[in-house]
Amino acid sequence: MLEEGVSPDGVSLASFLSMLAQYGNIKQGKEVHCYLIRNRFVQNSILISSLVNFYAKLRRIDYAERTLVQSTKVNVVAWSAMIGGLVRINDLHGALLLYKHMVCSGKKPTEKSLSIILKAIRGLRFLRFGSQIHGYVIKVRFQLDKFIQSGLIGMYAACGAPSHLCRRLFDQMVVKDLVAWTTMIVAHGLQGEGSATLRLFDEMQERGVCPDSATFASALSACSSSGLLYEGLKLFCSMIHKHGIRPTKEHYASLSCLIAKDRRIGEAYKEYERLGLNEDVGALESLLRACKVHGEIAYGEMARRRLLEIEPGNYSACRILADMYFAAGRWEDAQSLLRDSGNARVS
């Protein structure tokens, strides 16, 4: 465009910065910043917001802050982008202080800035300040915004508020999307209400909302907290076979925790065989780690044998079982296993 003698306007430059942020191109973004300074675009509030948002998304908070401070045309969008950047790098106290500074400077929070600051409050578990935000939301009639509603539910749940309060907010929502359902599932899980979590999970699907990976992770965590072994295993199996969702490390960690907390390793192993989970390498590794927690060597040996049948090159199973032998004082068995597996790590 520049080579052909066409000067870009503010809208095209803002769009270009947004694209550069998506690709993480910090070098070209700085070149655009220099172009804006040379051509006196730096007092354009839209472009200032785009620059702050660009740097914040790439976690260059130093550049974002400098841009914000040096400009006299800072709108609430730029403030929100900066606050969001601080939340993204987990500087939650900094985000809270900047939000207060924004309000004190006369800027009125928008739905976007409120939903962002609710994430910071949730992380810090500042219930009192969260309640103040809730009061402001009602005062300015933002309570029908689905992002704010989900943010309030998540904030109250993280702060330990009773689940019936979260449910009241949830029931007031006109549009309940997947984020809202998942947030409410998390709320029940944090209160140790596994059965309520599963009822809500079923209700969500009856309403035509399909769970995603995050929803299953939250539901599995709730089953683990409540000791719902069979329900958790069925849920895990449904995630794979019915919904076609590939388990992540988070799912496998919840599965291992579920079995370890329940302590019924033998029954878990039988359920594995019944549900076909003994064909899944990650699920078997989760079972093996649960065996390690409780020193269940016999079932650990069975899980390890099955793992090597499916994946002969998986020697992490041998190392886990060797650790179990060491813990039980079976030094020779541990050394023999490590030697046979080609990982003789004997201290």
Side-chain angles (χ1 to χ4, degrees), residues 277-297:
L277 289 174
N278 59 348
E279 301 293 330
D280 186 292
V281 171
L284 283 166
E285 287 180 343
S286 297
L287 177 63
L288 186 55
R289 290 189 178 91
C291 290
K292 180 182 175 182
V293 171
H294 296 294
E296 289 281 358
I297 291 177

Side-chain angles (χ1 to χ4, degrees), residues 256-288:
S256 181
C257 187
L258 170 70
I259 300 167
K261 276 190 174 183
D262 188 82
R263 294 175 176 267
R264 292 176 291 175
I265 305 296
E267 293 184 36
Y269 195 87
K270 290 176 184 176
E271 281 296 295
Y272 260 54
E273 292 181 328
R274 188 178 72 82
L275 296 170
L277 289 174
N278 59 348
E279 301 293 330
D280 186 292
V281 171
L284 283 166
E285 287 180 343
S286 297
L287 177 63
L288 186 55

Side-chain angles (χ1 to χ4, degrees), residues 168-179:
R168 192 189 312 154
L169 289 169
F170 180 74
D171 289 338
Q172 290 172 358
M173 296 183 73
V174 177
V175 179
K176 298 181 179 70
D177 60 6
L178 180 59
V179 174

Side-chain angles (χ1 to χ4, degrees), residues 21-170:
Q22 290 179 6
Y23 287 99
N25 194 331
I26 185 71
K27 182 180 178 182
Q28 203 161 1
K30 288 180 179 179
E31 291 174 359
V32 173
H33 193 172
C34 292
Y35 176 85
L36 296 180
I37 294 172
R38 287 197 306 269
N39 291 274
R40 299 182 180 181
F41 276 114
V42 287
Q43 297 307 322
N44 183 310
S45 61
I46 296 175
L47 286 172
I48 291 301
S49 301
S50 298
L51 271 173
V52 173
N53 189 52
F54 168 77
Y55 287 127
K57 280 188 174 180
L58 297 186
R59 299 173 182 264
R60 294 307 304 265
I61 302 302
D62 49 345
Y63 284 102
E65 186 176 15
R66 196 180 307 162
T67 304
L68 197 70
V69 170
Q70 291 176 350
S71 176
T72 58
K73 299 284 185 179
V74 181
N75 59 19
V76 71
V77 177
W79 283 99
S80 299
M82 184 67 196
I83 294 168
L86 291 171
V87 171
R88 198 173 288 114
I89 64 169
N90 208 35
D91 183 3
L92 305 182
H93 284 96
L96 218 59
L97 288 172
L98 192 63
Y99 173 82
K100 290 179 179 179
H101 185 53
M102 179 189 79
V103 173
C104 290
S105 68
K107 299 291 188 297
K108 291 185 178 181
T110 61
E111 293 97 324
K112 177 71 173 178
S113 57
L114 287 168
S115 63
I116 292 171
I117 204 61
L118 280 169
K119 292 179 182 178
I121 296 169
R122 181 177 65 196
L124 294 169
R125 299 184 181 181
F126 282 174
L127 179 58
R128 184 176 178 182
F129 189 54
S131 299
Q132 292 173 2
I133 294 292
H134 191 181
Y136 178 80
V137 164
I138 295 172
K139 180 181 177 181
V140 296
R141 299 182 180 180
F142 281 164
Q143 66 266 37
L144 295 181
D145 182 274
K146 65 179 182 179
F147 297 108
I148 290 179
Q149 288 175 316
S150 294
L152 284 169
I153 294 169
M155 181 274 295
Y156 279 121
C159 292
S163 58
H164 65 78
L165 172 60
C166 299
R167 182 71 201 213
R168 192 189 312 154
L169 289 169
F170 180 74

